[in-house]
Amino acid sequence: MRSYVDLKFGAKTTLYLLTAAGLATAAADSFHSGDTVNFPPTFLNGVVRSSRSLFTITYCVADYKYSLHGVPADSEEYGRVLSEIHLRSARRVLKLCDTNRGFYVKAGQFVAAARQVPREYSSTLSSLQDQAVPCNFKAVKEVIVKSLGKDLTEIFLSFDEQPVAAASIAQVHRAVLKDHQEVAVKVQYPGLEYQVKLDLATMALLSRSVAWLFPEYRFKWMVSEFTKSIASELDFIQEAKNSERAANNFKRNRIVKIPCVYWDFTSRQVLTMQFCEGQKIDDLEYMKQMGISPLEVANALVDVFAEMIFVHGFLHGDPHPGNILVSSEGANGFSLVILDHGIYKQLSEEFRKNYCNLWEALIRLDSQKIQQLGETFGVGKYARYFPVIFTGRTINSKSVLGRGMPPEEKKHLREELKSLKMEDISSFMESLPPDFLTILRTDGLLRSLMSKLGAPQRTRLLTYAKYALRGLSANASSESVNVASRFKTSIKYIQFRIILGVVELASYADEIGRSLATKLRQLMVSARDQIWSFHSLLLSVN
């Protein structure tokens, strides 16, 4: 615990920050409402947004600092108070995102999708996923004309002024080209690049300020990853290239559909692509109407992303429901339309191989190999938590893959986690390679979608394991590997295949057992009802 002098200094610092932020916000709001100060609109808007952010985050820091003061860190009260502060702060951040809109909504979505943040933040900020206010058409038209150098009438036969989708950085309009091809035109909001630079600078400053006031709370890793992702999203030319590369990777996959790009009408701020019909992947009512099985959709979804991670090493980093559509058109009765290719991660070949090896070790529960790979990934002692993060088992678990932890194992894990402090979590996240952070975010979003589709956890686990095996097999077949090494590796793959086969057989038997038990219960209920009806009939006759 800090000394009285430290606390007194911290109190003064926080008070100064709150006062400065409050004055800045008040001043900015007054400038915004009056005409006496002749600042450029983009600059003025930046001042308002930055001041509001400073005030909100400083208020949250003060809440953490003084609400936890004097509460023993190893007590039950500490956990309860901390959860309450998390919830209060998450609501303040949600209000900030709702007020500042645009880029802040994107930042809130990014935090909500990060499995490494407290549950109170992810659940509260998840409401931002479907929030976006479209820009007026006049401003959108100006961006198109300026970017493409032509008026809309020179390019399109028709252009729907009402957007079919609106997100935090752009909106999409339906249109028809001169050759009668129906297209979707994605247009970046005007003035966004300048605004983002200012907002990112504010976010970096806030991150450093929080780390200074609370050394155990370090979020530089999150700000850094978000900065990289937003920078790539602002360049629609790069997004178009990502789209074409992903389409080429899945050119033999009859379920995946990626809209083709019209390069003549694409720039950094305007992306014109093939228009594809479909509904959000979590729209269960649509699937029911179309006779599409949600479980088959879930299987196809996890197949696609497992192949991206373990085989291609080229990963779509933002698979939320709005970016993946289900279409009733396709060879198997449906297809997955993958949109928004702005955020992609090119995994290094070394990382891809090591990640494949990690999943082999996770399936086998090879604790020695997991710890060894933990050293390779730079996380050291925290590697013991990889099984918990990815498979829901502890490193010394004896439970069957995909069935979760038995009560005794959960109790032991809870006791172990009590000893972890925020400093440990910050150190763990800072030590992870950037590739790992992208995978954690994508995996978190996939888990959420799989849950909505009603798929059991073992579907994802077994699929990941199979594609990890494929990823290793592709490497093993390389001509640079000698015959003896290749033979040894092949034996290893056969062993791994047997393990997966046993696990799949156990899962299949488990499903059959549950199905038979359900049918048996139904038969017993039916028999009981018939006996009761017969008994009632006899009574009525007598």
Side-chain angles (χ1 to χ4, degrees):
M1 190 166 294
R2 295 186 185 183
S3 67
Y4 170 75
V5 174
D6 289 335
L7 286 169
K8 188 175 179 182
F9 177 74
K12 284 184 178 180
T13 304
T14 307
L15 179 61
Y16 293 155
L17 280 171
L18 278 168
T19 304
L23 288 172
T25 303
D29 286 339
S30 67
F31 289 155
H32 189 67
S33 60
D35 297 322
T36 53
V37 181
N38 189 27
F39 285 131
T42 49
F43 173 79
L44 184 57
N45 184 44
V47 170
V48 173
R49 292 156 65 83
S50 299
S51 301
R52 196 179 286 127
S53 304
L54 179 61
F55 184 78
T56 300
I57 301 303
T58 305
Y59 199 100
C60 290
V61 169
D63 193 359
Y64 277 99
K65 192 173 183 66
Y66 300 112
S67 297
L68 291 173
H69 176 52
V71 183
D74 56 351
S75 66
E76 289 187 8
E77 183 188 2
Y78 186 91
R80 179 184 59 78
V81 173
L82 185 61
S83 179
E84 291 173 355
I85 305 168
H86 283 335
L87 186 58
R88 288 198 300 267
S89 299
R91 286 171 177 167
R92 292 185 194 111
V93 173
L94 177 62
K95 185 178 179 181
L96 171 67
C97 295
D98 277 333
T99 306
N100 277 2
R101 307 302 306 167
F103 167 80
Y104 279 81
V105 172
K106 190 72 181 178
Q109 291 171 350
F110 188 87
V111 173
R115 292 172 54 214
Q116 302 74 42
V117 301
R119 177 177 47 81
E120 293 83 357
Y121 280 91
S122 56
S123 59
T124 301
L125 296 177
S126 63
S127 63
L128 292 168
Q129 289 293 358
D130 297 318
Q131 292 189 27
V133 179
C135 187
N136 69 78
F137 182 68
K138 183 181 178 181
V140 167
K141 183 179 178 180
E142 287 178 2
V143 172
I144 297 173
V145 172
K146 184 177 179 181
S147 296
L148 302 182
K150 293 181 180 179
D151 190 71
L152 267 59
T153 56
E154 297 179 64
I155 303 172
F156 305 101
L157 279 177
S158 64
F159 195 100
D160 191 349
E161 295 186 9
Q162 190 66 31
V164 293
S168 51
I169 68 167
Q171 62 191 50
V172 180
H173 291 260
R174 196 169 185 167
V176 179
L177 293 172
K178 291 287 189 180
D179 62 358
H180 299 277
Q181 175 64 50
E182 193 171 16
V183 293
V185 185
K186 183 176 179 180
V187 188
Q188 195 174 117
Y189 297 133
L192 190 66
E193 286 200 49
Y194 174 85
Q195 183 176 294
V196 164
K197 286 178 183 177
L198 191 58
D199 288 342
L200 285 174
T202 302
M203 192 173 289
L205 174 63
L206 290 171
S207 171
R208 288 195 295 270
S209 300
V210 170
W212 178 64
L213 287 168
F214 269 115
E216 66 273 25
Y217 285 82
R218 301 188 299 277
F219 300 108
K220 185 180 178 182
W221 59 271
M222 186 179 288
V223 174
S224 176
E225 279 305 296
F226 180 65
T227 301
K228 291 175 188 173
S229 71
I230 200 69
S232 61
E233 269 202 285
L234 290 175
D235 184 357
F236 287 176
I237 291 177
Q238 184 58 52
E239 178 175 344
K241 290 178 180 177
N242 293 341
S243 173
E244 289 196 335
R245 181 175 173 185
N248 185 60
N249 286 343
F250 288 101
K251 61 186 176 184
R252 292 186 180 87
N253 190 314
R254 300 173 69 189
I255 289 181
V256 176
K257 188 172 184 179
I258 296 175
C260 64
V261 176
Y262 290 85
W263 282 102
D264 290 343
F265 313 113
T266 293
S267 69
R268 276 183 59 88
Q269 293 179 299
V270 178
L271 172 59
T272 304
M273 53 200 154
Q274 175 189 6
F275 188 90
C276 295
E277 298 281 359
Q279 296 296 319
K280 288 183 179 181
I281 195 169
D282 60 352
D283 190 339
L284 299 179
E285 187 59 35
Y286 168 76
M287 289 183 227
K288 184 179 179 182
Q289 290 173 3
M290 295 293 110
I292 300 170
S293 166
L295 288 180
E296 287 186 21
V297 170
N299 286 330
L301 175 70
V302 75
D303 270 348
V304 168
F305 278 86
E307 188 170 343
M308 285 185 182
I309 295 169
F310 296 102
V311 181
H312 303 158
F314 188 59
L315 175 62
H316 189 303
D318 197 19
H320 67 74
N323 288 342
I324 305 173
L325 307 181
V326 175
S327 170
S328 58
E329 300 175 358
N332 298 329
F334 73 93
S335 59
L336 295 180
V337 182
I338 303 179
L339 306 173
D340 201 345
H341 301 268
I343 300 178
Y344 263 81
K345 187 71 174 182
Q346 173 61 64
L347 307 178
S348 73
E349 185 61 11
E350 181 184 7
F351 177 87
R352 187 191 67 79
K353 293 177 193 172
N354 285 331
Y355 193 65
C356 288
N357 283 316
L358 175 62
W359 268 91
E360 182 194 2
L362 289 171
I363 300 302
R364 292 174 179 270
L365 262 187
D366 184 343
S367 57
Q368 186 176 353
K369 184 70 172 177
I370 291 170
Q371 292 286 5
Q372 179 187 331
L373 287 164
E375 294 295 332
T376 303
F377 288 128
V379 299
K381 64 179 181 178
Y382 300 113
R384 65 179 289 100
Y385 297 110
F386 278 158
V388 177
I389 292 170
F390 290 111
T391 67
R393 299 188 292 178
T394 58
I395 197 164
N396 298 313
S397 177
K398 304 299 180 187
S399 61
V400 178
L401 183 71
R403 288 192 182 176
M405 295 183 215
E408 191 62 32
E409 193 175 327
K410 285 183 180 178
K411 182 181 177 182
H412 179 73
L413 178 62
R414 276 197 296 267
E415 291 300 318
E416 186 178 340
L417 292 177
K418 280 183 181 179
S419 63
L420 289 179
K421 296 181 173 58
M422 192 63 201
E423 169 67 29
D424 295 307
I425 297 171
S426 294
S427 297
F428 173 65
M429 296 311 301
E430 286 176 337
S431 59
L432 282 175
D435 289 356
F436 220 123
L437 293 172
T438 303
I439 282 181
L440 284 174
R441 168 183 161 80
T442 302
D443 185 60
L445 289 167
L446 278 178
R447 285 195 196 196
S448 175
L449 286 176
M450 297 287 284
S451 176
K452 289 177 181 178
L453 292 168
Q457 183 187 194
R458 65 175 171 272
T459 299
R460 168 184 147 273
L461 297 178
L462 291 173
T463 304
Y464 274 21
K466 288 176 187 176
Y467 277 91
L469 180 62
R470 270 188 59 184
L472 288 170
S473 299
N475 180 56
S477 62
S478 171
E479 293 181 4
S480 62
V481 181
N482 62 49
V483 176
S485 177
R486 199 176 302 169
F487 177 75
K488 184 178 177 181
T489 306
S490 297
I491 296 297
K492 182 179 171 184
Y493 296 149
I494 292 170
Q495 292 174 340
F496 193 32
R497 274 286 186 196
I498 292 171
I499 292 172
L500 287 180
V502 171
V503 172
E504 285 185 289
L505 186 61
S507 298
Y508 182 62
D510 190 35
E511 285 179 10
I512 291 176
R514 283 205 305 272
S515 177
L516 287 174
T518 302
K519 287 181 179 178
L520 183 61
R521 281 197 300 272
Q522 290 171 346
L523 284 172
M524 290 176 68
V525 170
S526 177
R528 183 200 64 191
D529 291 343
Q530 288 180 16
I531 291 170
W532 180 253
S533 299
F534 183 66
H535 178 66
S536 300
L537 181 62
L538 286 176
L539 287 176
S540 65
V541 171
N542 293 333

